[in-house]
Amino acid sequence: MSQEQPPNAPFVPPPPPPMVAGNPMFPPHELAAKEAEAASDAKTALILSIVGLLCFGFIFGIIAFRKASSAIEIIDMYQVAQDKRGIAMVAKILGILDIVGWVLVLVARIALR
């Protein structure tokens, strides 16, 4: 049973399709994969940066910085996993602190010889 409109009724367009999180230029399966990748990179970067504060700061700091940068790049490009942006930023900052701390310890050891 279809509803017919009266002959003088104005045209009412149908509502737009529901907006899906992410950049509409990419298919949904790719957005889901990139969202999982960004979340994984952010989590890994945070773990590496925290471990880097305790030991092997130079190595873990660089890896954490690169992983966090990758996560932020995916979040910006695909507009997914916006809730993981804060984790990635913290990991990036801690990665920088790992590297700077390692350099300061190295300089202090050389200066105290």
Side-chain angles (χ1 to χ4, degrees):
M1 190 187 268
S2 67
Q3 295 179 351
E4 293 191 23
Q5 294 187 355
N8 294 335
F11 174 72
V12 178
M19 288 298 294
V20 180
N23 192 332
M25 293 177 57
F26 299 100
H29 68 279
E30 187 174 347
L31 290 175
K34 291 299 182 179
E35 182 174 10
E37 182 181 351
S40 175
D41 282 353
K43 180 181 170 185
T44 303
L46 183 62
I47 292 169
L48 288 172
S49 63
I50 291 172
V51 171
L53 290 173
L54 304 174
C55 60
F56 305 112
F58 185 71
I59 296 167
F60 286 152
I62 290 173
I63 296 170
F65 182 83
R66 293 192 60 180
K67 283 275 192 191
S69 295
S70 171
I72 292 170
E73 185 176 309
I74 290 170
I75 290 169
D76 288 343
M77 183 180 301
Y78 293 95
Q79 299 171 356
V80 293
Q82 295 294 330
D83 57 329
K84 303 298 183 195
R85 183 185 248 327
I87 294 172
M89 289 300 294
V90 168
K92 194 171 187 178
I93 292 168
L94 288 176
I96 292 169
L97 289 176
D98 290 345
I99 297 167
V100 170
W102 185 83
V103 168
L104 290 175
V105 167
L106 186 64
V107 168
R109 290 183 106 192
I110 292 172
L112 293 177
R113 284 189 181 193

